[in-house]
Amino acid sequence: LRDPDRRPGQAVQNHVVLLVGRPSVEERRAFAYAERIGTEDIHCVHFRRSGEPKGVEARWAREIGIALTAPALEELPARRPLALEVRGYVRNLRKRIGRDDFVTVIVAARVEEGLLRRLGTPQSLLLKTTLLFTPGVVVTDVPYIPAVGESVLVPGRPIRHVVVVLVSGV
């Protein structure tokens, strides 16, 4: 703050990848969380298995209640396990963005009673550990606890933040 020759570096961008499954309460909370991050680059991605019906995008948009101005859902074929598909998608995204930018991968999760259930499904654990040591990638769980309900994470609901910034000198 006191050094007049010091200039801030280039702004770092956050790019969000929201993994989309079937429409659910968990998906709605994860989408609401993605909206609150405040980035203009949100990728809603669904990896479709062979034999899975098409049209997830329309059903997801209708049931989640997103607006037409929201990011479109990318439906991609899943030829490998989900963790490998997501890792490949994130690597390709990292090639197209700034060197210092980072990617936030959002995983919706239902939290049930019991230690193993709190940790998530084996598939979500594998996904998170696959991306754990990937530079510039943050994996975020958005938990849904059935006993607690929706709380504040509802798409479109404004949230007021009070922020205190401590400054050492003026």
Side-chain angles (χ1 to χ4, degrees):
L1 291 172
R2 293 183 178 149
D3 186 355
D5 296 327
R6 190 171 182 188
R7 299 280 183 249
Q10 185 178 358
V12 175
Q13 297 292 319
N14 185 2
H15 306 268
V16 174
V17 175
L18 173 62
L19 300 178
V20 174
R22 65 177 189 273
S24 63
V25 174
E26 296 91 342
E27 297 283 332
R28 178 182 295 180
R29 285 180 52 80
F31 182 77
Y33 180 84
E35 283 184 316
R36 302 250 184 321
I37 288 178
T39 182
E40 294 181 13
D41 190 26
I42 298 177
H43 302 262
C44 300
V45 183
H46 174 74
F47 291 96
R48 187 169 35 87
R49 298 271 171 223
S50 63
E52 185 179 348
K54 293 184 180 181
V56 171
E57 181 175 18
R59 192 171 71 242
W60 190 74
R62 183 178 62 251
E63 293 186 29
I64 299 299
I66 61 174
L68 294 175
T69 57
L73 179 68
E74 296 177 58
E75 282 190 71
L76 302 172
R79 297 179 187 96
R80 302 176 293 171
L82 180 63
L84 297 177
E85 293 289 357
V86 172
R87 186 171 61 189
Y89 184 89
V90 169
R91 282 185 178 160
N92 287 335
L93 179 59
R94 292 267 330 132
K95 291 176 186 175
R96 299 189 314 259
I97 63 177
R99 187 174 56 92
D100 294 330
D101 290 359
F102 62 98
V103 176
T104 300
V105 178
I106 298 176
V107 180
R110 177 178 283 262
V111 178
E112 301 285 350
E113 287 298 319
L115 177 62
L116 291 178
R117 289 185 182 167
R118 282 188 209 130
L119 293 174
T121 64
Q123 184 172 324
S124 69
L125 279 173
L126 180 60
L127 171 66
K128 290 179 264 189
T129 55
T130 299
L131 295 171
L132 184 62
F133 298 106
T134 306
V137 176
V138 176
V139 180
T140 303
D141 269 335
V142 178
Y144 171 74
I145 305 169
V148 175
E150 292 267 337
S151 71
V152 297
L153 283 178
V154 177
R157 181 184 291 172
I159 294 179
R160 181 173 177 249
H161 296 280
V162 176
V163 180
V164 176
V165 180
L166 302 175
V167 179
S168 63
V170 178

